[in-house]
Amino acid sequence: MTYRQLSYSELGLNLRDVYVQMGYGGAEADADVEAEVCAVEELIAAVARPRYCYFVAKGTLDTVRHVLTVGCTELNVGRIISRQLRGSEAFAFFVATAGAEFEDLQMRLKDDDDMVRTFIADSFGSVMAECAADRMEEALQTELDGRRWRHTNRFSPGYCGWHVSEQQRLFRLFGTESPCGVSLTDSSLMVPIKSVSGVIGLGPEVRKLEYSCGLCDYKDCYKRKRF
């Protein structure tokens, strides 16, 4: 398994994504909001330790039942994801997180009853988790370059028809209770909350789509908000 802890600066986070997450879209934030965002970013940068882990395994994809089988584990990934994973010769399973340190900071802001900064931090956390997953994809692709392989988009339980309860089966594949320091509640919620997990298809014939929201009808998807 590949594991890496990152500094905040290594995330390569774009503040535009934070503003989009906050609901600004193409609108400009006023000076007071920008000052608060910068102040929260400074707090986060001082403590955050985002991280990711992933491993690569062989699997069998049944495009009729829409099931990905890895060892003795069946993942009911659904029609949309099974279609996008077609042609994969192996699969990468990953967890990426903004980290417990960030969540501790967020809770301190909440305990201080600073709802503005709590909201801003919440938006940062969502973007940080995705940025950590982006860095994971880059590391994965570096490994694949030697084999002249490519990778698909990443797909997570709870999106594109893959039920969130499948998170339990996915996490068991890692062989540890808390891969990357992330655990699951009985209802399949990840802790720390600002975390992402999922699967990526690998092989010489697969491809990553820059924009694939037309495949899915989930209106509140983070990726949809970016475009």
Side-chain angles (χ1 to χ4, degrees), residues 39 45 59 66 68 102 129 151 208 221 226:
H66 311 306
L68 171 59
F102 165 78
H151 66 84
K208 181 178 181 181
C221 178
R226 294 181 66 175

Side-chain angles (χ1 to χ4, degrees):
M1 186 183 302
T2 298
Y3 167 87
R4 188 176 175 206
Q5 179 175 288
L6 304 164
S7 65
Y8 176 78
S9 62
E10 288 175 310
L11 285 176
L13 183 146
N14 187 333
L15 282 181
R16 173 186 171 275
D17 291 333
V18 176
Y19 284 113
V20 170
Q21 188 70 26
M22 290 170 63
Y24 280 92
E28 294 292 328
D30 61 37
D32 289 340
V33 172
E34 289 183 352
E36 287 296 314
V37 168
C38 289
V40 172
E41 182 179 33
E42 191 172 316
L43 293 173
I44 291 171
V47 301
R49 296 295 181 268
R51 50 191 73 102
Y52 65 75
C53 65
Y54 69 88
F55 70 92
V56 174
K58 291 287 188 180
T60 303
L61 181 66
D62 185 332
T63 56
V64 176
R65 296 171 56 226
H66 311 306
V67 170
L68 171 59
T69 303
V70 183
C72 298
T73 300
E74 287 191 347
L75 300 172
N76 297 285
V77 295
R79 176 182 57 83
I80 294 171
I81 295 175
S82 69
R83 183 179 297 172
Q84 297 306 304
L85 294 177
R86 282 182 303 187
S88 299
E89 296 192 12
F91 303 89
F93 299 91
F94 70 89
V95 176
T97 179
E101 299 84 358
F102 165 78
E103 189 162 273
D104 289 345
L105 171 62
Q106 192 174 16
M107 292 306 298
R108 289 199 298 274
L109 293 173
K110 187 175 181 179
D111 289 343
D112 290 342
D113 205 26
D114 192 334
M115 299 314 296
V116 171
R117 290 193 174 187
T118 299
F119 171 70
I120 294 171
D122 186 80
S123 299
F124 264 100
S126 297
V127 178
M128 287 169 62
E130 292 292 336
C131 285
D134 289 343
R135 304 292 80 78
M136 176 276 302
E137 278 193 39
E138 291 171 356
L140 174 63
Q141 186 57 54
T142 297
E143 287 189 27
L144 298 177
D145 285 343
R147 305 179 67 173
R148 297 184 179 179
W149 277 18
R150 296 178 292 182
H151 66 84
T152 68
N153 297 68
R154 56 183 186 255
F155 300 100
S156 300
Y159 295 86
C160 299
W162 190 5
H163 200 277
V164 70
S165 63
E166 292 273 307
Q167 199 95 260
Q168 302 288 346
R169 296 183 181 185
L170 174 65
F171 266 56
R172 283 198 289 271
L173 293 175
F174 286 86
T176 177
E177 244 180 63
S178 303
C180 216
V182 179
S183 59
L184 292 177
T185 66
D186 291 341
S187 58
S188 301
L189 178 70
M190 286 184 284
V191 181
I193 294 173
K194 299 304 183 181
S195 303
V196 293
S197 64
V199 62
I200 300 172
L202 315 174
E205 304 299 327
V206 302
R207 63 191 178 122
K208 181 178 181 181
L209 303 176
E210 290 304 316
Y211 179 69
S212 57
C213 291
L215 300 170
C216 176
D217 59 4
Y218 186 64
K219 300 297 188 296
D220 296 323
C221 178
Y222 168 81
K223 288 297 185 183
R224 187 182 298 276
K225 291 181 181 179
R226 294 181 66 175
F227 299 98

